[in-house]
Amino acid sequence: MERAAKTLAALDVEIDVIITSPRLRAKQTAAIVAQRLKAENRVVEDARLAGDFGPRALAAILSEHPGANEVMLVGHEPDMSRTAGAVIGGASLDFKPGSIACVSLPNPAAMSGELAWFVPPKILALGRK
């Protein structure tokens, strides 16, 4: 996850809030990204990301952060793949550990968006040479 965090920092990605599952590995991932993005004070735990996470939970979470335009979610499989896929029109995504994606949701209440980009860990590994 360190490579993904480095990539996000190199791209000057700005995150308003990082919402993470309270499970240990997700919290560790969120902390790594937050440190690289100098956003340690913007990490929030949400138990809804710990299991049975789907579009309905996503809508509820986003409604609780109305001023946040750039939201990062750190959760678990297979929920993240299914939820992102549903939001972008039923696509099939495979979030391997260390994958990062950007989904644009112009109207979060509608739960209809588009995949802006998806980077699997194999691509991120190319930058470590």
Side-chain angles (χ1 to χ4, degrees):
M1 195 60 220
E2 183 63 38
R3 287 184 295 228
K6 278 183 175 179
T7 300
L8 292 171
L11 294 172
D12 289 325
V13 170
E14 297 213 11
I15 304 289
D16 296 321
V17 63
I18 299 171
I19 305 170
T20 182
S21 158
R23 291 186 187 166
L24 180 61
R25 186 66 192 116
K27 286 174 28 175
Q28 290 170 335
T29 297
I32 291 166
V33 172
Q35 181 181 25
R36 280 280 176 184
L37 298 180
K38 298 182 182 8
E40 292 94 340
N41 63 336
R42 291 179 249 156
V43 177
V44 176
E45 284 185 34
D46 194 311
R48 291 171 287 196
L49 286 165
D52 203 28
F53 174 70
R56 186 172 291 155
L58 174 60
I61 289 169
L62 294 177
S63 74
E64 294 169 12
H65 301 275
N69 293 316
E70 307 296 332
V71 177
M72 178 177 206
L73 301 174
V74 183
H76 309 281
E77 280 302 292
D79 294 340
M80 295 303 283
S81 294
R82 279 193 291 226
T83 301
V87 168
I88 63 171
S92 178
L93 297 175
D94 186 11
F95 276 77
K96 301 252 187 263
S99 296
I100 55 175
C102 178
V103 174
S104 174
L105 282 173
N107 179 2
M111 280 294 108
S112 178
E114 66 181 43
L115 182 65
W117 47 263
F118 181 85
V119 184
K122 278 186 176 182
I123 299 298
L124 293 168
L126 296 175
R128 75 178 169 172
K129 292 183 179 183

